[in-house]
Amino acid sequence: MDKIFNDLKIKDFGVALLDMAMPRLCVVCASPLLLRERCICTSCLMDLPFTHFWKQSRNPMADRFNEQIQKAFSSTSDPSSFEPYAYAVSLFFYNSESPYKRIPHHLKYEGGIASGRFFAAILADRIKGSEFFSDIDLILPVPLHWRRRRKRGYNQAEVIASELASALAVQMNTKLLVRKRYARSQINVSVETKGENVRGAFALSKSVNKIGMPRHVLIVDDTFTTGSTLNACREALRTVWPPSVRISVATLAYVSAT
């Protein structure tokens, strides 16, 4: 018995006491968490549907994102238009039937900053070992309009981006990209409407003149559904940075078709 108590840290006793008063619950299945579990129970964590996109230069998410880029090029008459292939990475899959959809929902709408950091740290660990993201030198979270940020109290993309920047020892800039108009929610709208909602919604602040030209920029958001928001951010960056600057994207969740 003494050995058991010696193995427990003072912090563990505090967590145990708090659990007695207000049990911590798994963000996925809502079952009570054990002492050493954080945010998600071991069972749900073991079944987390990892994408493994960090191992693939080309994957479904990257293909969908690059398809949007190519559509923009097809509308121009300039035959010299070129864009380096944008890498894309997400931690896990989910669809409308998946209980794992609760992870981004908890972060975005329920103040789940701690769980957002937890899963972002897992994503960061995967990206850190990926050859495709080894030269990232600037991380940009998708910005919220000031009205939405004031209402929510935080930017969920910034929560994720902060963890990635810390783990990768890369600069994060939260002032460069600016959301210049308030767009309605992207939930339950068509693909075409999502694109219209965010087209031209982002711009660059004057601070762009104070930073050097990066090699590889990573734009970060919470969820990849159509990629319209991330592509709108990319288009804003392309107004000042040439194609020699690779622009890639990362999210916690990737919404699969099935």
Side-chain angles (χ1 to χ4, degrees), residues 34-45:
L34 299 177
L35 184 61
R36 296 294 178 87
E37 292 176 338
R38 287 184 56 206
C39 302
I40 185 172
C41 69
T42 301
S43 178
C44 288
L45 183 58

Side-chain angles (χ1 to χ4, degrees), residues 12 41 54 78 100 102 116 128 134-135 168 231 235 250 253-254:
D12 292 328
C41 69
W54 49 87
D78 183 2
Y100 291 94
R102 295 170 187 159
K128 196 172 183 179
S134 60
D135 60 343
L168 301 176
N231 188 48
E235 289 179 341
Y254 172 75

Side-chain angles (χ1 to χ4, degrees), residues 165-189:
S166 177
L168 301 176
V170 171
Q171 175 191 5
M172 178 182 74
N173 190 309
T174 61
K175 305 297 184 183
L176 182 62
L177 274 172
V178 178
R179 191 153 197 157
K180 61 183 183 179
R181 78 165 185 267
Y182 189 83
R184 63 174 175 151
S185 174
Q186 296 281 66
I187 298 176
N188 297 323
V189 298

Side-chain angles (χ1 to χ4, degrees), residues 90-135:
S90 190
L91 182 62
F92 63 91
F93 294 103
Y94 82 80
N95 57 38
S96 60
E97 305 300 322
S98 170
Y100 291 94
K101 68 183 180 182
R102 295 170 187 159
I103 295 174
H105 187 279
H106 181 63
L107 168 61
K108 194 169 185 177
Y109 301 111
E110 299 175 2
I113 294 177
S115 64
R117 289 172 176 162
F118 176 82
F119 291 105
I122 297 176
L123 176 62
D125 185 61
R126 270 56 178 183
I127 292 178
K128 196 172 183 179
S130 172
E131 61 180 298
F132 311 116
F133 301 94
S134 60
D135 60 343

